[in-house]
Amino acid sequence: MRKFLLLISSLVVLITLTACGGGEKETKLKDTLVVAQGADAKSLDPHASNDQPSSRVSAQIYSGLVSTDVDMNIVPALAESWDQPNSTTTIFHLRKGVKFHNGEELKASDVKFTIEEMLASPTVHHIIEAVDKVEVVDDYTVKIITKEPFGPLLHHLAHTASSILNEKAVTEAGDDYGQHPVGTGPYAFVKWDSGDQIVLKANENYFLGAPKVKNVIFRNITEGTNRTISLETGEVDIAYDIEPIDKNQVKDNENLNLIEEESLSMAYIGFNFEKAPFDNKLVRQAIGHAIDVDIIIDVVLDGAGSKANSPIGPKVFGYDKDAKSYEYDPELAKKLLAEAGYPNGFKTTIWTNDNPVRLQIATIVQDQLKQVGIEMAVEPVEWGAYLDGTARGDHEMFILGWVTTTGDADYGLNALFNSANIGGAGNRSFYGNRDVDKWLDKAKSSTDPKERLELYAKIQKQIMEDLPVDPLYYQTMNAGINKDVKGFKLNPAGHHKIYGVYFDQQK
């Protein structure tokens, strides 16, 4: 009997210990945040690519001299202060003791190296092409001198492409640097499983304080529905760009939140000026009148957007509400095609990447153009090949978007329409207009807001007349998040920051 009682007691203790062990396991703090987006990064070298998927990851790894808050106000970052002794000179005073992820201390020489590398990059040089030279005053002071007064300088330096690089890391990695990035940001690069995921870890020495979440994984989940399913199952914690068809599913799930805000993003259809018949303005204008954008917004976006009348939107400094809008008018489209010498239409191809929303838009546009005699084939292209091909000019028509990341019209117009930026720098329409070039250059060199507004209004009117791209809509951005994720905010430019995010259990 005594042995039996001892056995029972032992079993009770064992069960109790097991339960305690299970309890500890259940309350173990979650330390990995999984973020899903619709495409893999192309490169984590900020100077090698300016696409959104890459920038969303780079924004966690790097810091710039300055940054912007959620209201697009300039705030200090690696530069704790700056002053402008004259209209072409800005002196930045760097934080002391900031370390790159490889242990190197941030120095003014790294800033000089970064900006000179930017100027040499065909992809991002347009962002700071106004810079004439960079001078190192001492280890923690650097002077940036522009060729002429340049009003939007600070906003351009807040761009992710202006993130400060470590000269030693870039030099040692050579051509492989884009796969082995080193920054000063809140998260350090760990590994990249191409096509699948990018793994980051917390930078415990981050100059604003260690992040609350220790690990971040960016997952490449192309299909929007699969991103939503992964969010519902808890496989991912944050899913960017919930597709319209899935929004109610997220809203109705008691464990999820859907957050939405206006963005700085514009979606457009572009035309290659170097290929007939798109070298004819009447053809481009005909297509502008043949597309019913309202249907696209209602059917594809479920109303989460507004019709565009310009390549830049109302939230951007310089926007002109009176720029020409192409109203849906298929009869006028047919008339313009006949005037252009194509009374029976023509055959063409539109490129899109494997983005479900863009594929849906292409299908709708395909049907609408057919109504005016244009037979358009839809050709999906892998994202990296898409960017490379449109930079070379292999395409005829294409669907793409542009985010005026800086909140200033210079960035929204100069990259897309200045003939100096033809190709990968942004002008994938291969558009050139001497007056537009002249006005763009004058607007960027002015520090008079009124003069800049007048110039940008002229530019937008001319662009909407020439129509190198047909702006479709300004998009509302969104993200689906699990309710235990706190502190996440959408960035108007789309480069959402993970720093400051935490799990509810960590409060």
Side-chain angles (χ1 to χ4, degrees):
M1 183 70 179
R2 188 179 175 193
K3 287 183 179 180
F4 177 75
L5 291 173
L6 284 172
L7 176 61
I8 293 297
S9 299
S10 299
L11 286 171
V12 170
V13 171
L14 180 61
I15 290 168
T16 303
L17 289 172
T18 303
C20 288
E24 286 174 3
K25 200 168 186 181
E26 288 171 8
T27 59
K28 182 179 178 182
L29 294 181
K30 189 172 180 182
D31 64 0
T32 301
L33 182 83
V34 182
V35 181
Q37 61 174 341
D40 198 7
K42 186 181 179 188
S43 173
L44 296 180
D45 176 354
H47 300 167
S49 185
N50 193 22
D51 64 294
Q52 184 79 291
S54 299
S55 297
R56 283 174 164 174
V57 181
S58 293
Q60 323 309 324
I61 298 172
Y62 298 97
S63 307
L65 288 173
V66 295
S67 185
T68 53
D69 60 20
V70 293
D71 296 316
M72 298 305 291
N73 298 310
I74 295 293
V75 294
L78 293 177
E80 58 186 1
S81 64
W82 53 89
D83 50 79
Q84 295 178 299
N86 58 59
S87 62
T88 59
T89 303
T90 307
I91 300 172
F92 293 90
H93 306 281
L94 305 181
R95 297 177 188 267
K96 296 180 180 178
V98 175
K99 297 290 183 68
F100 285 96
H101 301 148
N102 62 355
E104 294 283 309
E105 186 180 2
L106 168 72
K107 295 292 179 64
S109 57
D110 293 303
V111 177
K112 177 179 171 66
F113 169 79
T114 297
I115 294 178
E116 289 177 348
E117 287 286 295
M118 275 190 81
L119 290 170
S121 166
T123 303
V124 298
H125 80 277
H126 62 277
I127 297 171
I128 56 160
E129 63 186 354
V131 173
D132 181 34
K133 58 183 176 179
V134 183
E135 297 178 355
V136 173
V137 178
D138 57 43
D139 280 350
Y140 305 105
T141 311
V142 63
K143 184 185 296 184
I144 296 179
I145 302 169
T146 56
K147 300 166 189 172
E148 300 174 305
F150 183 57
L153 177 64
L154 292 177
H155 280 90
H156 282 229
L157 290 176
H159 193 287
T160 52
S162 302
S163 300
I164 303 303
L165 311 180
N166 176 240
E167 182 174 4
K168 180 181 178 182
V170 175
T171 303
E172 288 181 351
D175 292 340
D176 293 331
Y177 178 73
Q179 285 72 47
H180 303 282
V182 173
T184 58
Y187 288 93
F189 176 79
V190 176
K191 69 172 183 172
W192 185 352
D193 298 324
S194 184
D196 181 22
Q197 64 179 11
I198 296 173
V199 181
L200 311 176
K201 66 177 180 180
N203 173 12
E204 300 295 338
N205 298 313
Y206 181 51
F207 61 88
L208 292 178
K212 296 176 181 178
V213 174
K214 300 304 179 185
N215 306 289
V216 175
I217 298 174
F218 277 86
R219 289 284 314 282
N220 171 32
I221 303 179
T222 305
E223 288 288 335
T225 298
N226 289 341
R227 284 199 301 280
T228 300
I229 291 172
S230 297
L231 186 66
E232 290 176 314
T233 61
E235 182 183 343
V236 305
D237 302 295
I238 300 175
Y240 293 161
D241 308 320
I242 298 296
E243 291 184 10
I245 195 172
D246 295 326
K247 282 167 58 177
N248 286 334
Q249 196 170 331
V250 175
K251 287 179 182 177
D252 295 340
N253 190 316
E254 62 180 11
N255 297 316
L256 305 177
N257 283 324
L258 180 75
I259 54 177
E260 297 181 280
E261 284 185 23
E262 289 183 25
S263 73
L264 299 172
S265 175
M266 177 272 302
Y268 67 88
I269 288 177
F271 311 102
N272 189 340
F273 269 50
E274 295 190 339
K275 292 188 177 180
F278 304 109
D279 54 349
N280 188 318
K281 179 171 73 173
L282 295 177
V283 169
R284 301 190 300 271
Q285 291 181 338
I287 292 175
H289 285 297
I291 298 173
D292 189 343
V293 178
D294 290 332
I295 286 180
I296 292 172
I297 293 172
D298 290 343
V299 174
V300 181
L301 304 182
D302 194 25
S306 57
K307 191 174 187 299
N309 71 314
S310 165
I312 57 176
K315 296 185 76 172
V316 177
F317 172 83
Y319 167 72
D320 178 22
K321 64 180 177 61
D322 297 321
K324 182 177 181 179
S325 178
Y326 283 76
E327 299 304 323
Y328 177 58
D329 190 338
E331 292 307 313
L332 177 56
K334 290 176 184 177
K335 180 181 177 183
L336 290 170
L337 284 173
E339 289 180 24
Y342 299 93
N344 300 315
F346 56 87
K347 293 183 178 181
T348 188
T349 301
I350 191 167
W351 278 22
T352 177
N353 65 309
D354 49 2
N355 176 307
V357 169
R358 288 178 182 162
L359 286 168
Q360 290 178 64
I361 291 171
T363 301
I364 290 174
V365 170
Q366 180 184 48
D367 180 66
Q368 292 177 346
L369 294 190
K370 188 176 181 180
Q371 307 307 312
V372 299
I374 299 173
E375 291 186 36
M376 184 189 77
V378 178
E379 185 175 344
V381 182
E382 183 274 328
W383 182 238
Y386 182 89
L387 292 176
D388 293 340
T390 51
R392 288 192 302 265
D394 298 344
H395 57 296
E396 294 178 349
M397 295 173 64
F398 65 108
I399 299 180
L400 205 52
W402 187 261
V403 185
T404 306
T405 312
T406 64
D408 186 280
D410 176 71
Y411 185 77
L413 300 174
N414 192 56
L416 292 183
F417 307 112
N418 195 319
S419 62
N421 297 322
I422 280 175
N427 187 346
R428 297 170 193 265
S429 296
F430 294 78
Y431 167 71
N433 181 307
R434 290 182 180 179
D435 286 335
V436 170
D437 287 350
K438 179 179 69 178
W439 296 334
L440 283 168
D441 292 341
K442 187 175 181 180
K444 76 163 57 180
S445 65
S446 173
T447 55
D448 179 355
K450 183 179 178 182
E451 181 184 34
R452 295 186 76 216
L453 287 172
E454 291 172 352
L455 285 165
Y456 287 132
K458 288 173 66 175
I459 291 166
Q460 287 164 83
K461 286 181 172 65
Q462 188 63 56
I463 287 170
M464 293 305 292
E465 173 67 22
D466 294 343
L467 211 64
V469 307
D470 181 17
L472 299 176
Y473 56 82
Y474 308 121
Q475 184 156 9
T476 300
M477 60 182 172
N478 70 48
I481 64 174
N482 278 302
K483 284 190 174 178
D484 65 344
V485 174
K486 305 297 180 183
F488 177 78
K489 295 179 180 179
L490 292 169
N491 182 288
H495 307 152
H496 317 306
K497 302 291 179 68
I498 300 303
Y499 183 72
V501 173
Y502 62 96
F503 292 107
D504 190 47
Q505 61 191 358
Q506 293 179 299
K507 288 191 297 184

